[in-house]
């Protein structure tokens, strides 16, 4: 069975500070890893994904995530956050051969001025 | 615009009623999903259809019945609504392949009183 753990339910941070949102997964087979962002009253939008190759993946708005197989982690980072980054962030995994994504419980990123 | 669209956006109804939520995608994807997001933001897969065929049916009460008239539509019908059905229901779609991300609609907030 696969599961996804997001260790922090809320992360308050000041504007322009760095942030890391943690995600760990448990699976004995190959997985594909995703981060989604959900702004208030909206659906989920893909932020970035790890499929294979380079373990560091980046999004167009400055976020990056690093796949660490030995630690089964896929933490999301941004060196300097903006107020507009305030949202719910979900880590998700998909087993090879499966269609559905399994989501973590989400981390609320609250950026304060 | 190309998108996954759900209707209605909000649905308020009384216990015992029957209601439907509609979903349409014009992205040309083969696979569609229904996810339920509870009050704690936890997302759980309910159903998935591929080319009108049911491929995922998680532990969901029989009162929930998905219907896919064609691969661009996946509707969700709920009989005898209960208080615990109150949640946000998200439709999503994806192209073939385990590496393909999901594209989500903006959700339907169902409130059962």
């Amino acid at each position: 069975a696969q599961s996804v753990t997001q260790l922090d339910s809320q992360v308050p941070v000041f504007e322009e500070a760095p942030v890391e949102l943690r995600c760990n997964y448990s699976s004995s087979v190959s997985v594909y890893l995703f981060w989604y962002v959900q702004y208030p009253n909206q659906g989920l939008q893909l932020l970035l994904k790890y499929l294979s190759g380079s373990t560091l993946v980046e999004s167009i708005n400055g976020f990056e995530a690093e796949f660490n197989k030995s630690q089964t982690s896929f933490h999301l980072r941004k060196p300097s956050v903006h107020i507009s980054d305030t949202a719910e962030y979900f880590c998700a995994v998909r087993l090879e051969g499966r269609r559905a994504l399994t989501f973590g419980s989400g981390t609320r990123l609250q950026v304060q001025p | 615009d190309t998108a996954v669209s759900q209707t209605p956006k909000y649905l308020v109804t009384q216990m015992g009623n029957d209601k439907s939520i509609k979903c349409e995608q014009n992205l040309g994807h083969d696979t569609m999903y229904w996810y339920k997001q509870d009050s704690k933001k936890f997302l759980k897969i309910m159903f998935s259809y591929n080319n009108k065929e049911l491929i995922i049916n998680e532990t969901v009460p029989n009162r929930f019945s998905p219907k896919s008239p064609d691969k661009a539509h996946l509707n969700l019908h709920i009989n005898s609504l209960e208080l615990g059905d109150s949640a946000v229901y998200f439709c999503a779609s994806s192209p073939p392949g385990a590496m393909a991300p999901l594209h989500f609609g903006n959700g339907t907030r169902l409130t059962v009183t």
Side-chain angles (χ1 to χ4, degrees), chain A residues 37-110:
Chain A
V37 58
Q38 183 180 25
Y39 298 104
N41 298 315
Q42 293 187 27
L44 281 75
Q45 302 172 32
L46 179 69
L47 194 57
L48 45 76
K49 60 186 177 184
Y50 172 76
L51 306 176
S52 64
S54 173
T55 57
L56 186 65
V57 289
E58 298 177 354
S59 72
I60 56 173
N61 56 356
F63 283 94
E64 64 180 29
E66 185 161 19
F67 170 59
N68 188 319
K69 189 173 182 179
S70 62
Q71 297 184 7
T72 60
S73 68
F74 190 54
H75 301 332
L76 181 70
R77 293 188 290 261
K78 189 171 185 179
S80 176
V81 294
H82 301 289
I83 296 286
S84 59
D85 292 324
T86 294
E88 194 86 24
Y89 291 80
F90 292 91
C91 182
V93 301
R94 180 192 267 149
L95 286 179
E96 193 167 8
R98 281 212 68 185
R99 291 186 184 270
L101 292 180
T102 298
F103 285 87
S105 53
T107 298
R108 170 82 177 155
L109 175 63
Q110 183 70 45

Side-chain angles (χ1 to χ4, degrees), chain A residues 36 38 43 90 94 99-101, chain B residues 31 35 37 41 55 98 100 102:
Chain A
Y36 281 81
Q38 183 180 25
F90 292 91
R94 180 192 267 149
R99 291 186 184 270
L101 292 180
Chain B
T31 309
Y35 278 82
Q37 186 175 47
K41 299 286 188 178
I55 57 172
L102 271 61

Side-chain angles (χ1 to χ4, degrees), chain B residues 25-97:
Chain B
Q25 56 95 4
N26 59 4
L27 297 164
H29 292 165
D30 292 329
T31 309
M32 296 185 72
Y33 312 78
W34 278 109
Y35 278 82
K36 179 180 179 181
Q37 186 175 47
D38 62 23
S39 59
K40 296 184 178 179
K41 299 286 188 178
F42 185 67
L43 275 156
K44 185 172 170 57
I45 180 71
M46 300 174 69
F47 302 102
S48 178
Y49 271 71
N50 185 59
N51 279 323
K52 302 194 297 177
E53 281 191 41
L54 181 66
I55 57 172
I56 296 176
N57 185 355
E58 295 293 309
T59 307
V60 177
N62 291 337
R63 299 181 294 103
F64 290 80
S65 55
K67 286 185 173 54
S68 182
D70 55 62
K71 76 172 193 176
H73 295 83
L74 180 61
N75 304 322
L76 184 65
H77 188 75
I78 316 170
N79 290 325
S80 303
L81 278 155
E82 300 177 358
L83 293 177
D85 298 331
S86 295
V88 181
Y89 292 84
F90 285 100
C91 179
S93 70
S94 69

